[in-house]
Amino acid sequence: MSEQVVGRRTLLGAAGAAVALGGVVDVRRAHANPIRSDPFGLGIASGDPLPDRVILWTRLLGDLLGDRAVQVGWQVATDERFRHVVRAGSATARPNLAHSVHVDAAGLRPGRDYFYRFRTGRFVSPVGHTRTAPAPGNAAARLRFAVANCQDWQNGYFGAYRDIAASDLDLVLHVGDYIYEYDPQQDAVRQHNPSSGTAQGADQLITLADYRNRHALYKSDPALQAAHAALPFISTWDDHETENNYAGLVDEQDDPPWHQTREQFKLQRAAAYQAWYEHTPVRATNRSGWSDLRIYRRFDFGTLLRLNVLDTRQYRTDQPGGGVPTGGLPSDFGSQVLGDTNVTGTLTGPVQEKWLLEGLRTSRSRWNVLGQQVMMAPTRFVTPPPASVVNLDQWDGYTPQRRRLLAAIAASKAANPVVIAGDIHSTWINDLRLTVDDPSAPVVASEFVSTSITSDFPAAFVPIAEQSNAAFNPWVRYFNGRTHGWLRMDVDRDRWLTEERSVASVAVPDAPSSTTARWAVEAGKPGVVPA
């Protein structure tokens, strides 16, 4: 979007509007600290839309910022030219938060489109578009949103985000792996910055500077900036925002000297969580330090859809099996019995599980959604032996909790449950049955697992997954490990339509996208069907 120039009359009009609406804007302080170059190189974003408010985000960049706090003016208008400014104010970009700004712009009307922008000194940010949620109790007719995840910078260009930005949607649900923590690779499609405070060879980020630099690199991508400017995001994290396959305070690194104690990893996790917050338009609760950042939360879109956004990393117990590789597979693959007997294991922790079940029990929404990170459906693999190998980092490693959760979903009588996941760099569309291996058991929920924006699914593993699904996983209705992209959700009161959008190539920045599959769920009829 083109940069907008704010004149004196527009800015003073914004100030007058804010005063009339109960806000105060100090126009002078907005440029009290002179900045000599455009500080808005990471773009702007909005997120966590509620009926009356939305989070507005930016992060200032510039060598002259140093350790000074900088005032940033902001405006919200009903039109792209800002002739009708409805909210305005100023916020402080502080150095301890990397000069990021999170404005909870309140006093907005439900179900409305808005435009927003920031100003500091003589510089004005690009214009962003956002949208509030429908009013509580409103019989909203339709919601359209993207599901995105797993965007490894090195593995390719973010062409899928160009497709998302150009689509007619209400929001983006991002289910994790917004950044990757690995070292640069010589054979990568595009190179990224090395860690700044961690030794090369660790294949890991550890310091706050490490995580901030990596997030800033990703935020510099023009396609990703376009998607953030076009739509509000609802975001959660998975493992790579911190470290591959970590569990709670258990470090993933298996070999010295990089393996860390729980106390050491707590410091790393705090740095990762802080940097994620600094770069995400999120409404989060920081209760006892950055290593404990509550991000599970709930969104209602009228009576059409309730979205429960989960965190299955911070509170989980360690994957069962002790990280012992099985048959040449990664260390978190192992025998199915390890997950089946993990009676004390949890992906959510008890407090979050109770919160989720209460939200399902009290819901009056037409559709009830679990937006979370890892696939819930069982997926058993044929080869290499033994035949009952599963991914213990997914819900297959926590079978007793999965069984308990599905039974609770059924008992809650929540209408039309849908589970959304990512993580596995491929598309899976599944029926979730109350009892596995019993074809007569009722379908409790439908599951849509989104492929990656760019992250790799090993080509050699595609035929193994296809053979395994045919032999062992009849509840898997669709699998595609050959393309990258996103899922487009189009939900009304009678039908949930999911379209798989695949980008032609991640090796070039402007590759086109197309629809490669369509599946639907009819309200009141559990189970997915081709559309």
Side-chain angles (χ1 to χ4, degrees):
M1 294 185 179
S2 62
E3 189 170 286
Q4 300 287 324
V5 178
V6 181
R8 178 176 179 275
R9 181 180 305 227
T10 304
L11 189 57
L12 292 177
V19 171
L21 296 167
V24 177
V25 180
D26 188 339
V27 177
R28 296 166 298 174
R29 293 189 64 199
H31 48 89
N33 295 304
I35 297 175
R36 298 177 184 175
S37 60
D38 187 350
F40 296 109
L42 300 185
I44 43 84
S46 69
D48 283 11
L50 298 178
D52 66 337
R53 65 186 60 212
V54 66
I55 297 291
L56 308 179
W57 172 92
T58 192
R59 179 192 167 192
L60 306 183
L61 292 182
D63 295 338
L64 297 180
L65 294 176
D67 60 357
R68 298 177 302 167
V70 180
Q71 291 300 115
V72 181
W74 58 270
Q75 295 176 308
V76 178
T78 57
D79 65 303
E80 195 170 3
R81 293 182 176 273
F82 289 80
R83 292 192 177 100
H84 303 286
V85 173
V86 295
R87 285 291 182 271
S90 65
T92 304
R94 302 184 186 279
N96 64 315
L97 291 178
H99 291 100
S100 63
V101 173
H102 292 74
V103 174
D104 202 349
L108 305 179
R109 298 180 62 183
R112 292 287 299 271
D113 291 288
Y114 289 99
F115 299 89
Y116 63 95
R117 62 186 175 188
F118 297 92
R119 173 180 178 168
T120 188
R122 63 186 177 87
F123 295 100
V124 181
S125 75
V127 173
H129 165 266
T130 193
R131 184 174 178 83
T132 52
N138 181 278
R142 190 180 188 189
L143 184 71
R144 294 159 295 179
F145 64 98
V147 177
N149 72 111
C150 298
Q151 49 202 54
D152 188 345
W153 176 282
Q154 296 192 94
N155 208 55
Y157 293 94
F158 296 167
Y161 277 120
R162 294 190 185 278
D163 190 39
I164 290 174
S167 299
D168 187 10
L169 300 169
D170 296 299
L171 60 95
V172 176
L173 172 62
H174 198 288
V175 292
D177 293 344
Y178 192 93
I179 64 165
Y180 279 72
E181 79 280 23
Y182 298 134
D183 286 347
Q185 303 296 317
Q186 291 184 351
D187 59 349
V189 174
R190 56 178 178 167
Q191 295 295 318
H192 67 47
N193 52 348
S195 59
S196 58
T198 303
Q200 290 293 297
D203 209 25
Q204 176 60 52
L205 306 175
I206 293 179
T207 68
L208 180 57
D210 283 344
Y211 287 107
R212 282 175 170 172
N213 289 345
R214 191 61 55 82
H215 272 283
L217 173 73
Y218 278 56
K219 274 288 196 292
S220 72
D221 184 90
L224 182 54
Q225 285 194 10
H228 275 296
L231 297 162
F233 274 52
I234 295 176
S235 302
T236 187
W237 55 43
D238 195 16
D239 52 342
H240 288 288
E241 287 89 348
T242 302
E243 183 171 339
N244 178 55
N245 284 6
Y246 81 94
L249 287 174
V250 179
D251 185 3
E252 184 263 349
Q253 297 280 11
D254 296 324
D255 298 322
W258 309 116
H259 182 73
Q260 301 182 82
T261 67
R262 292 175 68 90
E263 286 304 310
Q264 290 171 329
F265 185 66
K266 185 176 183 179
L267 296 176
Q268 177 188 330
R269 196 178 83 171
Y273 286 7
Q274 179 176 341
W276 181 84
Y277 172 78
E278 290 171 349
H279 294 82
T280 305
V282 61
R283 190 180 289 106
T285 304
N286 182 348
R287 291 182 172 175
S288 58
W290 286 110
S291 67
D292 179 19
L293 185 65
R294 173 174 166 171
I295 66 166
Y296 64 86
R297 57 210 192 278
R298 184 173 293 125
F299 299 89
D300 286 317
F301 296 89
T303 60
L304 176 63
L305 186 148
R306 168 166 283 189
L307 171 60
N308 303 280
V309 180
L310 305 186
D311 175 359
T312 63
R313 284 292 165 189
Q314 181 173 186
Y315 311 106
R316 72 158 65 190
T317 55
D318 197 10
Q319 297 90 346
V324 178
T326 302
L329 288 169
S331 61
D332 283 314
F333 278 69
S335 172
Q336 178 182 338
V337 70
L338 294 171
D340 291 348
T341 57
N342 187 15
V343 294
T344 61
T346 176
L347 278 170
T348 61
V351 174
Q352 185 179 190
E353 182 177 358
K354 180 180 179 181
W355 167 88
L356 170 62
L357 296 182
E358 181 67 12
L360 291 170
R361 187 185 65 80
T362 59
S363 174
R364 300 296 178 263
S365 293
R366 184 70 162 171
W367 300 90
N368 288 275
V369 183
L370 280 63
Q372 47 96 60
Q373 293 75 14
V374 292
M375 183 154 58
M376 188 171 288
T379 50
R380 300 171 294 194
F381 296 105
V382 171
T383 55
S388 58
V389 166
V390 299
N391 185 346
L392 297 168
D393 187 60
Q394 298 179 170
W395 284 85
D396 272 330
Y398 305 80
T399 304
Q401 189 194 17
R402 177 175 60 196
R403 188 181 301 119
R404 181 173 72 243
L405 177 59
L406 289 174
I409 290 173
S412 74
K413 304 299 183 183
N416 302 306
V418 173
V419 175
I420 292 174
D423 178 68
I424 199 170
H425 309 170
S426 46
T427 301
W428 301 68
I429 296 177
N430 310 311
D431 289 332
L432 296 176
R433 295 186 178 275
L434 193 59
T435 305
V436 176
D437 291 331
D438 180 0
S440 65
V443 175
V444 175
S446 303
E447 181 175 41
F448 298 104
V449 182
S450 177
T451 189
S452 62
I453 297 292
T454 60
S455 302
D456 185 48
F457 187 88
F461 203 64
V462 171
I464 294 175
E466 292 172 338
Q467 296 163 20
S468 300
N469 290 338
F472 288 144
N473 308 315
W475 45 83
V476 177
R477 304 298 306 280
Y478 176 81
F479 163 75
N480 177 14
R482 293 178 167 84
T483 62
H484 302 281
W486 58 287
L487 294 183
R488 175 188 172 95
M489 308 301 197
D490 191 343
V491 185
D492 61 30
R493 304 195 76 84
D494 299 319
R495 182 189 68 166
W496 180 300
L497 174 64
T498 295
E499 294 183 328
E500 179 190 57
R501 295 285 294 174
S502 296
V503 64
S505 172
V506 296
V508 293
D510 56 353
S513 297
S514 62
T515 297
T516 46
R518 289 165 52 96
W519 288 80
V521 180
E522 294 183 39
K525 297 180 180 179
V528 295
V529 295

